[in-house]
Amino acid sequence: MKKLRIASLMAVFAFLVISASAQKKYTLRVNPDSGKKISQNLVMTMDIDAAGQKMVTDLNMGFDITNTTKKDNIFAFDLKYTGINMKMNMAGMDMSYDSKNPEANEFSKQMHATLGKLLENSISFNVDQLGKSSDIKLPEGINMPFDKSMFENISTVLPEQPVKIGDSWTSKTESDESGISVESTMTLIEANELGYKVNVEGKMFGPDANQVGNVQGFYVLDKKTCLTKITEMTSAVDMPEAKIKTTLKSQ
């Protein structure tokens, strides 16, 4: 009987601890270390089917992000690519580009004419305390798949109010280049010494406001800076002119 009482008390204690942890609220705010370089690697696969023509692109990119200045709770960042590797298959034809060996083939030379500018120049952008990006500046002459929309979600949009585990908030982003907007719901699902894990569910809309796709995945935010340190995301777009599936991972 005594052992049963002890087991019951331990179960009640564990329940109270878990409940208290779930009710704890967190104020999430971007707070980078000034001048500290953050190195990341991004892997993205894009599968495009346009009018029966299929193209698969695999990108592997390394880059460094550094907070340079802070003014009125707006943080200015520089992003510098350290390496870009691209493999494409279009209509059964394989093509490749490696920034470490840009003279390897004719396709590589052509790609380096534009992508090389990402290695030679920095990309600048601002992020406020709630993770909203603005004033994104790309080097001139950069073409798809590198447009400003790739950097609009360089940080995770954070909630204005403190949140507890299970709470959700929303954000909306629009791309001037593609005309596609994304309405996302973020949910805080975990908080520990490694950071904050945020689930993402989003709907994508075309210029006519009709839904054309969806996005889902998660971010892990650094516990101290609230900057994104791990991302896993998938998206699917179905439009008359093309169907596009994308997977993205970074850390």
Side-chain angles (χ1 to χ4, degrees), residues 58-74:
D58 293 315
L59 285 171
N60 192 318
M61 301 174 285
F63 55 90
D64 295 328
I65 301 176
T66 307
N67 168 231
T68 55
T69 60
K70 173 186 176 181
K71 183 178 181 181
D72 299 328
N73 291 323
I74 301 294

Side-chain angles (χ1 to χ4, degrees), residues 101-164:
N101 186 21
E103 299 295 318
N105 54 68
E106 195 59 36
F107 174 78
S108 185
K109 293 177 183 179
Q110 293 174 6
M111 293 301 295
H112 195 68
T114 56
L115 297 188
K117 297 175 182 178
L118 287 173
L119 299 163
E120 299 164 0
N121 302 278
S122 295
I123 296 167
S124 65
F125 57 94
N126 294 335
V127 177
D128 67 14
Q129 283 192 311
L130 293 177
K132 296 178 182 178
S133 303
S134 63
D135 200 23
I136 302 165
K137 293 184 173 65
L138 298 178
E140 292 185 6
I142 299 299
N143 299 317
M144 286 294 289
F146 295 90
D147 66 4
K148 290 183 179 180
S149 65
M150 283 193 65
F151 304 93
E152 288 168 352
N153 294 319
I154 197 74
S155 59
T156 307
V157 176
L158 304 174
E160 296 184 10
Q161 304 299 327
V163 290
K164 62 182 183 298

Side-chain angles (χ1 to χ4, degrees), residues 16-26 162-167:
L16 291 174
V17 170
I18 293 172
S19 298
S21 176
Q23 294 302 312
K24 181 178 179 180
K25 290 195 172 184
Y26 304 90
V163 290
K164 62 182 183 298
I165 302 299
D167 282 352

Side-chain angles (χ1 to χ4, degrees), residues 70-84:
K70 173 186 176 181
K71 183 178 181 181
D72 299 328
N73 291 323
I74 301 294
F75 302 95
F77 287 86
D78 277 345
L79 184 152
K80 187 73 164 55
Y81 278 93
T82 56
I84 301 173

Side-chain angles (χ1 to χ4, degrees), residues 176-215:
D176 293 334
E177 284 85 355
S178 66
I180 291 178
S181 63
V182 182
E183 296 180 6
S184 302
T185 297
M186 278 76 71
T187 304
L188 180 65
I189 63 168
E190 191 175 342
N192 53 42
E193 67 278 1
L194 298 177
Y196 303 103
K197 186 174 182 179
V198 178
N199 266 9
V200 181
E201 296 281 345
K203 296 180 179 180
M204 307 172 76
F205 298 89
D208 57 2
N210 289 324
Q211 184 175 347
V212 296
N214 58 72
V215 57

